Amino acid sequence: MIFKRLKVTVKPSLVTNCYIIIDEYSRETMLVDPGAEPEKIINVVKILDGKLKYIALTHCHVDHIGAVQRVKNELGGKTIIHRIESENIKNPDIVLFDSVDLEDPNVEIDSRVDEDDIIHIGDIEFKIIHTPGHTNGSMCLYCERNKLLLSGDTLFSGTWGRTDLPTSSFEDIMLSITNKLMILPEDTIVYPGHGNSSIIKEETRIYLDLKPKLW
């Protein structure tokens, strides 16, 4: 597996992690959350000789989808998102482009996925984990073989995603993290939508301590 994180600048105060995953034999490629700077993303995929198969979106917020259409027009690939989020992405109040003074990205969705669906790029498998909370259609992508989790804005290093936005829920995000993510192997590397990576072992202690206080 070739795995690369690109920091793309949506606005000076807002930087998103875009991930490029390539099967080194077939060169099949998946992009996760191309939020901005499409030319930068396209150039890196070309340099790595990637063949874009999927553009996977962990959720529909504008800072994670802003470069989708320009990348797709240049490199092809199918855009995939959780089934619930495929409806949310049509709603400007949920996509939030107006609130951060950006243009409507007008993303077209090709495929809708659900809990436990499997995505293949070459011989690499990613399992879909539906993690409502940051939005009600948020999802993570888990690769068991390579022990990595693409967590979007659900789980960050030392904290969790915002729950004060349309369709978000603090209770839901806590349930998603404690019941679905903290059960993963403790050496699983967490690659979030913003900020630095972490591992499940380092995050578990936060939620084991917090869970009894929530219920």
Side-chain angles (χ1 to χ4, degrees):
M1 174 193 287
I2 298 170
F3 184 92
K4 186 169 183 62
R5 178 182 71 166
L6 286 183
K7 294 182 179 181
V8 295
T9 301
V10 181
K11 300 185 74 174
S13 60
L14 182 56
V15 176
T16 298
N17 292 329
C18 170
Y19 296 98
I20 302 173
I21 302 102
I22 301 177
D23 174 73
E24 57 191 314
Y25 301 105
S26 68
R27 312 310 295 184
E28 286 188 346
T29 301
M30 178 169 69
L31 285 180
V32 179
D33 291 349
E37 297 190 88
E39 294 84 2
K40 179 178 180 179
I41 297 169
I42 290 165
N43 287 339
V44 173
V45 173
K46 287 182 175 180
I47 289 169
L48 294 174
D49 193 28
K51 300 175 182 177
L52 189 57
K53 184 178 183 181
Y54 294 124
I55 303 172
L57 307 176
T58 60
H59 62 292
C60 71
H61 288 160
V62 65
D63 57 317
H64 291 254
I65 68 174
V68 170
Q69 288 305 125
R70 288 175 65 183
V71 170
K72 186 176 178 179
N73 290 342
E74 178 75 19
L75 300 178
K78 291 185 177 181
T79 304
I80 60 175
I81 200 168
H82 190 272
R83 188 172 304 277
I84 293 172
E85 209 72 346
S86 70
E87 294 302 317
N88 289 342
I89 205 167
K90 303 172 187 177
N91 187 335
D93 292 333
I94 302 175
V95 176
L96 301 175
F97 60 87
D98 275 341
S99 66
V100 291
D101 195 28
L102 294 171
E103 294 181 2
D104 184 350
N106 290 311
V107 172
E108 298 176 3
I109 301 301
D110 299 298
S111 297
R112 293 147 183 82
V113 293
D114 296 294
E115 177 86 356
D116 293 330
D117 281 353
I118 301 295
I119 298 170
H120 290 90
I121 52 168
D123 291 332
I124 305 169
E125 287 190 354
F126 282 90
K127 178 183 175 182
I128 300 299
I129 305 176
H130 179 212
T131 51
H134 182 61
T135 64
N136 60 358
S138 289
M139 70 178 191
C140 299
L141 297 98
Y142 173 56
C143 181
E144 181 178 12
R145 186 178 76 182
N146 293 84
K147 298 182 178 181
L148 65 89
L149 177 77
L150 297 156
S151 64
D153 284 6
T154 297
L155 179 64
F156 297 117
S157 177
T159 189
W160 52 87
R162 289 179 60 176
T163 58
D164 59 343
L165 301 169
T167 82
S168 67
S169 163
F170 177 71
E171 181 176 350
D172 285 350
I173 205 168
M174 288 298 130
L175 288 170
S176 292
I177 292 171
T178 55
N179 294 343
K180 295 185 176 184
L181 303 186
M182 293 301 106
I183 64 171
L184 298 176
E186 63 178 17
D187 58 347
T188 301
I189 304 173
V190 179
Y191 293 99
H194 308 276
N196 297 324
S197 60
S198 182
I199 60 172
I200 291 294
K201 181 179 181 180
E202 293 298 319
E203 303 306 317
T204 302
R205 65 193 72 182
I206 298 171
Y207 300 95
L208 289 178
D209 181 59
L210 184 59
K211 188 173 181 179
K213 300 175 183 177
L214 296 173
W215 296 281

